[in-house]
Amino acid sequence: MNDQATHPTVDVRHEAVAPRRVARLDRAEALRLLGTVTLGRIVFTQHALPAVRPVNHLMDGEDVIVRLHDGATLASLVAPPDAPGIVVAYEADVIDPDTHVGWSVVVTGYAHRVTDDADLARFAARLRPWAHHPAMNAALRIRPDLVTGLRLTP
């Protein structure tokens, strides 16, 4: 089998980029930046191993809201009623691939299914799926306990 036919060539740039400075973001600035993008990655445990899925999100105050639909892996993240939730991490960033300038934010906290019909309707109006799925029938609310962020500057 011809590997070139199945694996496209990637243009790798070896140009030198000046060293970048890293500045820590405070909680408020990190959450503000998270609210400026809609794409991120949720990290959770699946079969006792770490798993990562790209998802779209919105901010509801300090909480991160992620759309769910039946049959999705994330829809299985359900905590027992007496539990504080399922521990997840959520990461989003904007880093320019050429200049290496930008920011990255990680939120770690407990995730709960959204059960309030009014909240679900409000979130469904704002969260658009990437692929065709039935109507949004569930959402996940991540309450951040730990918020870390960094900004890369020249």
Side-chain angles (χ1 to χ4, degrees), residues 52 82 97:
V52 181
D82 59 341

Short mmCIF file of all heavy atoms in Angstrom, two decimals, residues 52 82 97:
data_model
loop_
_atom_site.label_atom_id
_atom_site.label_comp_id
_atom_site.label_asym_id
_atom_site.label_seq_id
_atom_site.Cartn_x
_atom_site.Cartn_y
_atom_site.Cartn_z
N VAL A 52 -11.06 12.65 25.54
CA VAL A 52 -11.18 14.05 25.15
C VAL A 52 -12.11 14.14 23.95
O VAL A 52 -12.00 13.34 23.02
CB VAL A 52 -9.80 14.65 24.77
CG1 VAL A 52 -9.93 16.11 24.38
CG2 VAL A 52 -8.81 14.47 25.89
N ASP A 82 -27.01 11.63 44.69
CA ASP A 82 -26.40 12.15 45.92
C ASP A 82 -24.94 12.59 45.73
O ASP A 82 -24.30 13.04 46.67
CB ASP A 82 -26.50 11.12 47.04
CG ASP A 82 -25.81 9.81 46.69
OD1 ASP A 82 -25.58 9.55 45.49
OD2 ASP A 82 -25.50 9.04 47.61
N PRO A 97 -0.79 29.98 15.03
CA PRO A 97 0.21 28.95 14.70
C PRO A 97 1.52 29.53 14.16
O PRO A 97 2.55 28.88 14.23
CB PRO A 97 -0.48 28.10 13.64
CG PRO A 97 -1.55 28.97 13.08
CD PRO A 97 -1.96 29.91 14.16
#
